[in-house]
Each structure stands twice: as structure tokens, then as C-alpha cells.
Amino acid sequence: MEIRFKIAAPEEHSALCLVFVLELAGGSRTTMRWHYPIVFAFLVLAGSAEAAPLELGAVNEAQLQLPLRAKERANPTLVKAQVLLDRAHFSPGEIDGKFGENFKKALIAFAATQGLNSKGELTDEIWQKLTATSSDPVLTKYTLSTDDVGGPFVHSIPSKLEEMKDLPVLAYTSPREKLAEKFHMSQELLSALNPKQKFVSANETIIVADVAGNDAPERAARVEVDKNAQVLKLFGRDQQLLATYPTTVGSTEKPAPSGRLKVTGISRNPTYRYNPKYEFKGVRATEPFTIKPGPNSPVGLVWIGLSAEGYGIHGTPDPSKVSKTGSHGCIRLTNWDALRVAAAVAKGTPVDFSGDEETAQRARAEASRRKKNH
């Protein structure tokens, strides 16, 4: 027996009907019509899964229900998928519960390691593989500490490099920003999961992504920077893919290097030194100057120097823009991903650049366009 239904408003009916058609063995057919009140109740129930609340239980117990539609608000299923990808070292960048380009990159890379083809869709097969990587809840409760809310914080970060040099520290601007980075989340998602919290008092309990800190994969034998895909990859000694991270690689004004470089050193919480010969767009200084350390420094929480003057792999003060805007030639990651890469490489680790700047520029422009239209 086959059951089909459609919504219709035949001429002989003044109200919307839900028409059920039962096709029985032998070709006989039975038709039933349910009127508007029942139709309305049916539609509400049909949409209940899509309208699942963004709360701890709903996210931890989320299951894949296709199709997934791109929406402004965070989706519990996508939050779960992003946390699982982050744990598996296929970083989606900011965990925001949305179907963005960095999430798609992580899905593609993860699927490839599972022997699956993907163009960035979250399919049933990929979902099964992904949820099999970890059975631990993806959201957890966390009690704020004095360090979380105590600062120091700065009121705002200047947009121009010359104005940053006068700040004593490039600290976070609020506990919310600090906590969002600590748990690899967007500030919007952190607030959505904790709508009544102001993130200002120690000993308060909040809900966060359980991402197991800034743990790194095993030591990398080689780094590859794909300028076209805007992705940094770590490989083991057997050339097995260990991890991927979305990144911003160069710009039209200052392209990233090509070929093979090597890691020359790693500096955590670095001081940023600007040299006028870099000729960065928008910087008018004619004398060198320094910018104090901090997560909102132009190079974030870590600098991985490369064997080409002025080039390095580093963090960023704006994780939401990773792979969506250009850089001054360097390789820019979220602070937490940059720290993971720093823990996985050492002086002398080779860094190979693939792709070309023209294709990379088009990729960044498309990602920026999609971000604005989302």
C-alpha cells in the first residue's frame, strides 16, 4: 500500500484541504480530505524539527534531517557537526551553527579521509561517519572563573595600525569575546546559547562548545598552504592528512609566496613590528613601530616565522573574517587554530604553497559576497 498526500483547495471546498490518496493493491484508490484546522496542526508538527530550540539538550541530541536550509539563526544540527569536526582536527573556523564556506571546507576534507566524495553537503553517510568519531556531548556547562571575567580588557581596538601602537596591550574587548575564542565559537552563538547571561561575574554557569582546548594533532612532517582553497593542511610522515584549517592567504596587493619555505621559529603572544618597506595599504608611517602583544594584535596569539622575510603563519583579531578577506601576504588563521598549528610544527618543518593568487583572489571575493548576502 502506498500513501501519498497533497495540499489542495478544490472548487467545491471553501477551505484549504489536505488530500490523502491511498493506493491499494489491485489499483483501487481511497481519497480522504482533512480541512484547515487539521492541516494547520500538521504543518506545525512538520516544522517542529526545523524549529528545534538552540539549547544544550537539543544540540547534544540533534540528528540529521534533510534538507538543511541556510538560515540566519544557528541550527542545532550544524552546531553539533561543527564541534565534531573541530574535535577531529577538520576546523570549521568559528563554530556558529551556520552553513558557511569554512564549514563546507571542513566537510570536504573530513569526507575525503573517510573515502567519501563531497562538495560540501552534509549527507546521511557523512553524518554517520562524523558522529562515530565522538560520543561525548558537544555542548557542556562551564563555570566562569575570575580569569575569564577579570581582564584586562580594552574598550575598543583601533582600525589603523599606527593607532594600535599606543595601546599598552591588545587585549580582548570583553569577557564575551574572550570566552567565545576560548571555546572556538562566534560571539553570536555564545549569546544565543546563554540569552540571560552578561558574562561579567565569576562562578556563573554558562553553556559552551566542548572543544577540548587547543589540543594539536600529532607532530606534522609537512605543512601545505592551498592558496586556491584558502586552507592550511598538516601531513604526517606517511603523508597522511592530519588536520585542516581555513585560512586567509595573501591578497592582490601583497600575494603569498610560492614554492617551499621552512618554519624558522615560533613566538607565542608576539610583539608585532611594522617595517615601512612592507608598504601595507592604508599605512602611512615612514618609521618602524611596534604594537604590543595580545589576542587582538594584528598577528594574534602566535607567530610562526617562515624563511622569507616578513612572511609567517599567525592568528587574527577577527576570526569571523578568516578566508573571507585578504591578508598582507601572510597565512592568517583563527587564534585557536594558529596555536594548534604552532604545537604541531617545529623549526625546519617544510611549508609548501600551492595554487595561484588570481584564483585565490576570486575565492576570497566569492566568500565575501556570500557572507554579505547570508
Side-chain angles (χ1 to χ4, degrees):
M1 179 178 69
E2 180 183 358
I3 300 176
R4 296 181 290 112
F5 69 88
K6 63 180 181 178
I7 297 175
E11 292 180 0
E12 66 269 23
H13 292 274
S14 59
L16 184 67
C17 294
L18 183 65
V19 181
F20 278 84
V21 181
L22 282 70
E23 293 191 357
L24 307 175
S28 60
R29 178 182 293 181
T30 299
T31 302
M32 297 181 293
R33 301 180 186 275
W34 291 0
H35 289 278
Y36 179 78
I38 299 176
V39 173
F40 179 77
F42 176 84
L43 293 175
V44 170
L45 290 173
S48 61
E50 188 175 337
L54 194 66
E55 57 187 25
L56 186 145
V59 175
N60 285 339
E61 298 168 13
Q63 298 299 320
L64 180 62
Q65 295 186 0
L66 298 173
L68 282 170
R69 297 178 177 86
K71 286 202 163 186
E72 293 270 337
R73 71 186 293 269
N75 182 299
T77 300
L78 296 185
V79 173
K80 184 173 183 176
Q82 289 173 347
V83 175
L84 291 173
L85 285 167
D86 185 280
R87 288 179 182 172
H89 303 299
F90 297 93
S91 172
E94 273 193 333
I95 296 169
D96 60 5
K98 299 179 182 180
F99 222 118
E101 293 301 310
N102 289 337
F103 176 48
K104 292 179 183 179
K105 294 176 188 179
L107 280 177
I108 291 170
F110 173 78
T113 64
Q114 303 298 311
L116 303 174
N117 291 322
S118 173
K119 294 182 180 179
E121 304 92 351
L122 183 56
T123 64
D124 284 316
E125 196 170 16
I126 294 174
W127 177 257
Q128 294 302 321
K129 295 286 188 180
L130 187 57
T131 53
T133 62
S134 176
S135 59
D136 294 334
V138 295
L139 295 187
T140 189
K141 292 182 178 180
Y142 173 78
T143 301
L144 300 182
S145 68
T146 302
D147 179 68
D148 291 326
V149 300
F153 300 107
V154 296
H155 182 264
S156 63
I157 302 295
S159 59
K160 295 183 178 181
L161 291 182
E162 295 101 320
E163 297 174 359
M164 293 182 188
K165 63 183 175 62
D166 297 323
L167 292 179
V169 62
L170 274 294
Y172 291 111
T173 59
S174 68
R176 187 178 78 153
E177 183 187 19
K178 183 176 183 178
L179 288 162
E181 286 213 2
K182 183 174 184 176
F183 297 103
H184 308 181
M185 303 164 68
S186 69
Q187 294 186 57
E188 291 74 18
L189 178 60
L190 180 63
S191 293
L193 288 169
N194 303 277
K196 297 181 179 180
Q197 295 287 354
K198 295 183 178 179
F199 311 105
V200 294
S201 301
N203 299 319
E204 291 185 4
T205 299
I206 62 173
I207 296 172
V208 298
D210 190 351
V211 291
N214 284 318
D215 61 315
E218 62 185 85
R219 182 58 62 93
R222 182 175 72 89
V223 178
E224 181 181 319
V225 179
D226 187 332
K227 293 190 282 187
N228 293 354
Q230 299 282 288
V231 171
L232 183 149
K233 305 174 185 178
L234 299 182
F235 291 91
R237 293 189 179 279
D238 57 358
Q239 293 306 303
Q240 177 187 4
L241 182 63
L242 302 176
T244 65
Y245 306 98
T247 181
T248 294
V249 189
S251 63
T252 303
E253 293 80 17
K254 193 170 176 60
S258 298
R260 170 167 285 193
L261 301 179
K262 290 186 177 182
V263 173
T264 57
I266 299 170
S267 176
R268 291 173 174 80
N269 206 31
T271 296
Y272 178 76
R273 295 176 178 84
Y274 178 75
N275 191 328
K277 73 177 184 179
Y278 297 157
E279 297 182 338
F280 288 173
K281 184 177 180 179
V283 182
R284 299 181 178 180
T286 58
E287 296 293 331
F289 61 85
T290 61
I291 295 175
K292 302 296 193 302
N296 274 312
S297 156
V299 292
L301 288 175
V302 65
W303 170 267
I304 303 170
L306 300 178
S307 54
E309 186 179 1
Y311 288 100
I313 301 169
H314 61 83
T316 178
D318 195 344
S320 69
K321 293 183 179 178
V322 166
S323 84
K324 300 177 179 67
T325 59
S327 74
H328 295 301
C330 292
I331 301 88
R332 183 188 299 161
L333 305 101
T334 65
N335 277 329
W336 56 89
D337 285 344
L339 287 167
R340 285 171 159 173
V341 173
V345 301
K347 185 177 181 179
T349 301
V351 180
D352 295 322
F353 289 81
S354 62
D356 61 271
E357 184 54 40
E358 182 178 350
T359 304
Q361 177 67 16
R362 288 198 300 267
R364 285 192 298 270
E366 177 64 15
S368 179
R369 183 190 66 79
R370 292 188 181 186
K371 184 177 186 292
K372 290 178 181 178
N373 294 337
H374 183 62

